Amino acid sequence: TQTLVTAPEIIFFWVARMIMSGYEYQKEKPFDQVYFTGIVRDKQGRKMSKSLGNSPDLLELIDKYGADAVRFGILIASPAGNDLLFDEKLIEQGRNFNNKLWNVLRLIKGWEVKEGTGNENAIAWYESKLNASLEEMERLYADFQLSAALKVLYSLIWDDFCSWYLEMVKPEFGAPIDSYTYNKTIGFLEKLMQMLHPVMPFITEEIYQLIRDRKEDDFIT
């Protein structure tokens, strides 16, 4: 309860009164941080309302694109403290990301594995990128920059992992992959699913369970 999440229009109506009440009755401040959410607006910058008929039906969007895609689209376009201009294309981006993750799983699980060592340069390069991104995300989370943190993770997965790393390590058509590279790649994918889980809990848990055999109580959650 050290962070209050609220809208900026009630700073003096409610937030200030809570702080004064904390000092008056408990002799201490009630929370350390206040995070102000932005207002969701339409593409023209208008505040969404039933009278204007410009509010999206989130349940319809979930039925159409999936809950993970909706969460992704809203979060990646929500800069801290600023308003969000809603566009359904953001949700489509989330759906495309879903498909990308699923195709990555299918690709990796389709490889034949043989004993051996492999492309250590590619592995070391991606390990370095992952660790640097983790540090950057921790810093952004501490500053409540959730959208910026998600953009770092999105680039780490789509650009660095899918477009570069997998292209560097995947075997030639019909050839097996060495066990060292395969296990390292599985480990990277597990870590990425854990990092993405707060934003896209359903597909990340599903992929995590399918990557390798799990104990009954082994969940990302």
Side-chain angles (χ1 to χ4, degrees), residues 5-21:
V5 182
T6 186
E9 60 261 28
I10 62 167
I11 297 173
F12 299 107
F13 294 113
W14 186 234
V15 178
R17 294 182 186 189
M18 293 170 75
I19 295 170
M20 288 186 286
S21 296

Side-chain angles (χ1 to χ4, degrees), residues 99-116:
N99 292 339
K100 189 77 167 180
L101 295 172
W102 197 252
N103 288 334
V104 164
L105 174 69
R106 291 175 59 195
L107 172 70
I108 294 174
K109 293 296 285 183
W111 288 340
E112 180 187 343
V113 185
K114 70 169 185 178
E115 286 296 320

Side-chain angles (χ1 to χ4, degrees), residues 172-196:
E172 294 181 9
F173 181 75
I177 191 170
D178 66 273
S179 56
Y180 177 79
T181 301
Y182 180 78
N183 289 326
K184 278 289 188 179
T185 304
I186 290 290
F188 288 149
L189 186 56
E190 281 181 324
K191 188 68 176 177
L192 293 173
M193 293 304 97
Q194 291 169 339
M195 293 163 68
L196 185 60

Side-chain angles (χ1 to χ4, degrees), residues 14-109:
W14 186 234
V15 178
R17 294 182 186 189
M18 293 170 75
I19 295 170
M20 288 186 286
S21 296
Y23 280 116
E24 176 68 20
Y25 299 111
Q26 298 294 326
K27 309 306 180 192
E28 61 181 351
K29 61 183 178 183
F31 34 77
D32 290 325
Q33 299 106 359
V34 181
Y35 179 86
F36 296 124
T37 58
I39 296 171
V40 182
R41 301 182 182 274
D42 64 16
K43 286 186 284 187
Q44 299 175 45
R46 300 176 301 176
K47 191 172 181 178
M48 290 187 168
S49 69
K50 289 182 179 178
S51 59
L52 286 175
N54 60 347
S55 300
D57 186 320
L58 287 177
L59 293 179
E60 282 186 11
L61 288 173
I62 289 171
D63 285 339
K64 185 177 179 181
Y65 297 106
D68 281 340
V70 174
R71 287 167 66 102
F72 174 92
I74 295 292
L75 280 169
I76 202 164
S78 304
N82 294 323
D83 292 349
L84 159 67
L85 297 181
F86 179 82
D87 189 335
E88 198 164 320
K89 289 181 180 177
L90 296 168
I91 312 300
E92 291 176 7
Q93 184 184 2
R95 179 193 59 191
N96 295 340
F97 193 35
N98 257 331
N99 292 339
K100 189 77 167 180
L101 295 172
W102 197 252
N103 288 334
V104 164
L105 174 69
R106 291 175 59 195
L107 172 70
I108 294 174
K109 293 296 285 183

